Amino acid sequence: MPPASPTTPGPFGSKLLRKSSRSMLGMDPQKIIKTFFGANSGITIVVLVLIMVFLLREGAGFLSTYHHELEVYRKAGLEFCDIADTPLKQQQQLTSALRRAKASAASDEAKRALGDAEEAFETAIEPADEIVSELKTHATETKELANEFHTLEVGRLQLLAAAYSTSDPTRKADLLKEAELSKVDAPNYEERIAAVIDRREELAKALTDYTTVLGTAAVALPDAVADVKTAVPAHIAEVHAAVKKLETWSWQEPVSFFTAARSFFFGTGWITNSSWQDFYGVVPLLTGSLLISLVALLIATPISVSAAIYTNQFASDQEKEIIKPVIEFIQAIPSVVLGFIGIAVVGDLIKGVSQWEILSWIPGFPIQERLNIFNAGFLLAFMAVPTMFSLAEDALNNVPRAYSEASDALGATKLQTVFRVIVPAAISGILAAILLGLGRVIGETMVVLLVAGNRIAIPDFGDGLGVIFQPAHTLTGIIAQELGEVSRGSSHWQALFMVGILLFVISLSVNWCARTIAKRFEHPKA
Amino acid sequence: MNNPFAGDNTRIQRRETAARWALRMGSYTVVFLTVSIFLFITFKGLPHATKPGFLTELTSTLHVIESKSGEIIQTGPAQADAMKQKLGDQFVSEKTISYSGGGILGPIVGTALLVLVSVSVALFLGVCCAIYLSEYAKKGKFLETVRLAILNLAGVPSVVFGLFGLGAFVLTAPVLTNAPADRAIFVIPLGFTNLSFQGWDTCVLSGGFTLAFVILPVIITASEQCLQAVPQGFRETSMALGATRWQTIWRSVLPFATPGILTSTILGIARAAGETAPIMFTAALAFKDKLPWQKDLPPLPADAGMFAHWEQSVQRFLGIFTESVQALPYHIYTLAAKIPQNEYSEQAQYGSVFVFLILVASLAATSIWLRIHLRKKYKW
């Protein structure tokens, strides 16, 4: 029997060989399999890119929409009214402070004096108030006209676009005709604004008169309302500033895209669904998010780092078998459950504790709101612990054994070894762990939505540290709360997607920082 | 025997002990908090969760009727009127509390469906990706980019995934339809029907796919670790016997990695079940009085053929993918944030939270236990 040579294989061998060298579409099947798996892992890249694409698709139009809205805001004279309105609002605060003082005043005489002062305040502002409210009505009408025109114009442009893309001549003619019919004139801003401008002098005069009356009335104020008395000069200065601003204000001054961007990134008001004017400024949300994350980090870092050091260096095996699974288990607690615990338990607990006499030295105590920044930060700290713990423990684990052995050989105690040798060697990993914990905390939604108190305002830093016991709103919370209620493509919708883009960028950069730190101080593997 | 050269080191020792205890406190605070949360929820939730019907009824509005004798009757909307008639002039007042009556069958079914879809998608993509990373990939630009993408994907906030799911699956994903909607970005005519990029609307499929990408990084990382844990010798032996790369993976690597991969999948399930923000805009509803497969369809004419009946059954069955559902985490959010709090809403709250926590916790515990068990069994 001749031996089967590789060129002429036997019947059995030929089958085997044919099978392995069969090709599909001219490609090696092994290569196809490899490409298939490669393509699957490429999906991660595709998804990351798609997240960016879809966020941008829905949010990219925001700046131009918002720019247009701000333009109308100026041209219709709403901005003018708002300039005049700021001192009026201040005046209301002053008067209500007077009213409160009057209600709590002891003697009838003091009551009468305060009542007189209050009346003087009220009558002095009346003329200016009247003018502003008339102007406001006028400006709102202009804005409505502008909005109507905008809607019609968008519709007309759509019709024209449809007309140019269709190939059917009769349909094209129809569409063009329809577009022609829906054509309306742009509102005549110049004519409309004239009514506002005409009254500028009058308003300025009314406001100046008001300040003179106020100045004399303030002198007569009793000392019981010292805070009002001291606030008056500042208020008067404010009114003068407003008058000056009114005089130089011009409706024709163009609104740049830069202004719209600035108004989003640095705007201090997030005002939506208002009948007057919507503003989308992320500063209050960003401050809320950052404050909450800061509180969470301050609580979580010492706990999780010390837990990691303890478990890695000191704990016996039995202790490890309790601590590690329990901390891992925290990761599985859904955030909505923690949020619920924040509402149902922690809130009342904090509020109750804050009413203890012995704790009244803590700034902000006793607290008013049970849902506040501290509450949210506390629960988020709890959520961040597993992430920070396991990463920090990994970092400690990666310190080469030789380091601790060398330290032991030199006669260092265990504590000295841990804090002078092992922790410094692992410090980059621990820092990265803290940063990744921050990333997790900033992106968390349900806890802050339920527990942070959802007040859209920049927290008042006036009470120092007590600021952490105030309610706040966050970047993540605002998306979860408002997106369900807005119509697609509106400026509000786009603004929320812009907030999403901001969050995405923040989380990517936090991630990047963590990685850079971890890489930078990597020690050689021993 | 005393060492005559030793200095006085009681101070040092005291400091050692103090520091050790301080560190120990850190660990035990966390353990203590976790255990107390768990016990608290169990204590408050167990009595409500074990009420008859809590796990088997759909959610409804709770009617609380007070009678003159001071008796308080809690009942569903169906029996409320009958109860009032029965009480007659004994009737004093009636309070209604939304979403707090009945049981939580709807949310449980919804969460189960969402998890099913998301884990199937994420497991397929994740394991394939892990196989590539562990068995095929060679150092290079592509590998680096994939690793970077996985790391970043793991850091994206869940609410941003929600926005992505809304933009991608709810509003853009392709469907086969005869009548494309206006909002479709583009429509590809296929002759018999159209492939229209108009999105799947809020439904289980959209939510499941969104969740799949949330847990994808977890599954990839865990699966890769399991594949790496299979000793290199297994692969070398197989290759030495003349097996192809794929045969090696299929016969000598995957069988040993599968238990580990499945274990980590359980953790992925727990994660997917627990997320709320990604399903808020893509799948979840605050209230629904039907299960997803009980869709309302027009009644068939009497002479309808078998095909029509069959078609309707299929349509109903497909409801498990194409309907929006209640989900447990979103149900808890609704109960905690959208309705006024009182003693009656509290029952539903603690009951749901307890069931949810037990569900997720038992998944996580199984996973952790299995891992320890497997580690002992497979030691190479």
Side-chain angles (χ1 to χ4, degrees), chain B residues 225-302:
Chain B
Q225 271 171 9
C226 296
L227 289 169
Q228 294 282 356
V230 176
Q232 203 57 35
F234 285 29
R235 301 184 180 91
E236 282 157 7
T237 319
S238 165
M239 298 291 256
L241 289 173
T244 60
R245 195 22 80 80
W246 170 241
Q247 282 167 335
T248 305
I249 295 171
W250 185 245
R251 299 275 166 82
S252 318
V253 180
L254 273 183
F256 301 100
T258 311
I261 293 177
L262 290 183
T263 307
S264 47
T265 309
I266 303 181
L267 217 57
I269 294 179
R271 176 91 196 273
E275 288 285 357
T276 321
I279 54 169
M280 263 180 147
F281 327 118
T282 52
L285 268 185
F287 182 71
K288 187 165 186 157
D289 57 358
K290 278 196 187 68
L291 289 172
W293 54 83
Q294 295 171 335
K295 194 180 178 185
D296 268 335
L297 290 174
L300 287 174

Side-chain angles (χ1 to χ4, degrees), chain A residues 404-422:
Chain A
S404 60
E405 278 163 4
S407 171
D408 283 344
L410 287 173
T413 63
K414 182 76 183 164
L415 203 63
Q416 282 167 335
T417 309
V418 169
F419 280 103
R420 308 245 175 112
V421 177
I422 296 180

Side-chain angles (χ1 to χ4, degrees), chain A residues 30 33 38 40-41 43 47 54 57 303 310 314 319 328-330 332 334 340-341 345 413 415 483 507 515, chain B residues 16 23-24 28 30 37 40 125 129 132 148 153 157 159 163 166 172 185 213 244 246 349 356 360-361 371:
Chain A
Q30 293 301 320
I33 295 174
N40 262 305
S41 56
I43 282 185
V47 168
F54 280 106
R57 194 187 91 189
I303 292 182
Y310 182 77
F314 297 100
E319 270 183 311
E328 217 169 316
F329 175 76
I330 299 175
F340 170 72
I341 287 169
V345 189
T413 63
L415 203 63
L483 192 65
S507 68
R515 252 200 331 278
Chain B
E16 291 267 310
L23 291 174
R24 183 176 282 174
Y28 281 95
V30 179
I37 286 179
F40 176 77
L125 290 178
C129 181
Y132 178 79
L148 200 67
L153 213 55
V159 72
L163 290 180
L166 176 63
T172 315
I185 306 179
F213 291 116
T244 60
W246 170 241
Q349 284 169 0
F356 188 37
V360 172
R371 198 174 47 206

Side-chain angles (χ1 to χ4, degrees), chain A residues 77-366:
Chain A
L78 276 83
E79 190 184 33
F80 183 85
C81 299
D82 268 346
I83 296 174
D85 214 31
T86 333
L88 297 189
K89 285 211 178 95
Q90 256 185 358
Q91 190 269 346
Q92 273 170 8
Q93 278 171 10
L94 286 177
T95 339
S96 63
L98 279 179
R99 206 170 297 137
R100 274 200 303 277
K102 190 178 103 184
S104 60
S107 65
D108 279 348
E109 199 179 335
K111 261 192 185 156
R112 203 173 315 122
L114 283 172
D116 288 347
E118 191 199 323
E119 210 178 298
F121 271 49
E122 295 256 331
T123 43
I125 198 74
E126 244 165 44
D129 213 3
E130 229 163 73
I131 298 172
V132 171
S133 68
E134 275 168 34
L135 288 183
K136 270 184 173 176
T137 334
H138 186 80
T140 319
E141 273 169 24
T142 318
K143 187 184 161 190
E144 264 160 31
L145 284 177
N147 285 348
E148 214 173 300
F149 167 71
H150 185 66
T151 329
L152 285 174
E153 189 69 10
V154 169
R156 194 173 72 90
L157 287 178
Q158 270 168 2
L159 283 177
L160 284 181
Y164 285 115
S165 64
T166 183
S167 48
D168 182 5
T170 48
R171 176 148 175 75
K172 187 169 180 169
D174 279 353
L175 283 171
L176 280 178
K177 206 168 151 194
E178 208 176 320
E180 191 60 37
L181 278 177
S182 70
K183 195 171 181 179
V184 280
D185 287 334
N188 192 342
Y189 288 114
E190 195 167 1
E191 203 173 280
R192 301 273 317 169
I193 203 75
V196 177
I197 304 281
D198 281 348
R199 303 193 67 174
R200 171 147 62 184
E201 303 282 301
E202 198 184 336
L203 181 62
K205 191 173 171 302
L207 282 172
T208 329
D209 287 350
Y210 160 69
T211 55
T212 40
V213 176
L214 194 66
T216 48
V219 176
L221 277 176
D223 286 332
V225 280
D227 53 332
V228 178
K229 213 167 171 180
T230 47
V232 165
H235 171 55
I236 290 180
E238 195 104 350
V239 178
H240 282 303
V243 170
K244 201 156 271 159
K245 230 172 160 183
L246 286 180
E247 270 158 9
T248 52
W249 182 84
S250 157
W251 69 277
Q252 278 161 315
E253 205 178 310
V255 181
S256 66
F257 270 96
F258 181 66
T259 319
R262 200 179 50 197
S263 166
F264 176 76
F265 287 108
F266 302 106
T268 54
W270 180 278
I271 301 160
T272 53
N273 292 333
S274 126
S275 56
W276 177 246
Q277 173 76 24
D278 287 353
F279 288 103
Y280 306 102
V282 291
V283 173
L285 310 172
L286 198 59
T287 359
S289 276
L290 290 179
L291 272 177
I292 291 175
S293 313
L294 196 70
V295 172
L297 273 195
L298 284 180
I299 300 174
T301 308
I303 292 182
S304 45
V305 172
S306 68
I309 294 175
Y310 182 77
T311 324
N312 194 263
Q313 297 292 328
F314 297 100
S316 63
D317 281 353
Q318 287 106 318
E319 270 183 311
K320 269 186 202 171
E321 261 168 43
I322 302 176
I323 297 172
K324 275 190 164 180
V326 168
I327 292 187
E328 217 169 316
F329 175 76
I330 299 175
Q331 219 160 14
I333 299 180
S335 56
V336 71
V337 169
L338 280 181
F340 170 72
I341 287 169
I343 288 186
V345 189
V346 184
D348 292 322
L349 203 69
I350 295 176
K351 198 170 178 190
V353 169
S354 79
Q355 274 151 1
W356 293 357
E357 281 292 323
I358 37 166
L359 289 180
S360 55
W361 52 272
I362 296 180
F365 274 27

Side-chain angles (χ1 to χ4, degrees), chain A residues 312-313 391-404 420-432 515-526:
Chain A
N312 194 263
Q313 297 292 328
L391 289 169
E393 218 227 317
D394 280 353
L396 289 169
N397 239 344
N398 283 340
V399 176
R401 256 182 96 93
Y403 285 30
S404 60
R420 308 245 175 112
V421 177
I422 296 180
V423 173
I427 197 71
S428 63
I430 295 179
L431 280 180
R515 252 200 331 278
T516 319
I517 287 179
K519 226 183 237 166
R520 187 146 208 180
F521 302 100
E522 223 164 43
H523 34 75
K525 281 259 177 347

Side-chain angles (χ1 to χ4, degrees), chain A residues 60-84:
Chain A
F62 173 72
L63 278 185
S64 80
T65 322
Y66 194 36
H67 172 250
H68 170 78
E69 280 183 8
L70 287 180
E71 221 167 38
V72 172
Y73 173 65
R74 175 164 288 166
K75 279 189 188 157
L78 276 83
E79 190 184 33
F80 183 85
C81 299
D82 268 346
I83 296 174

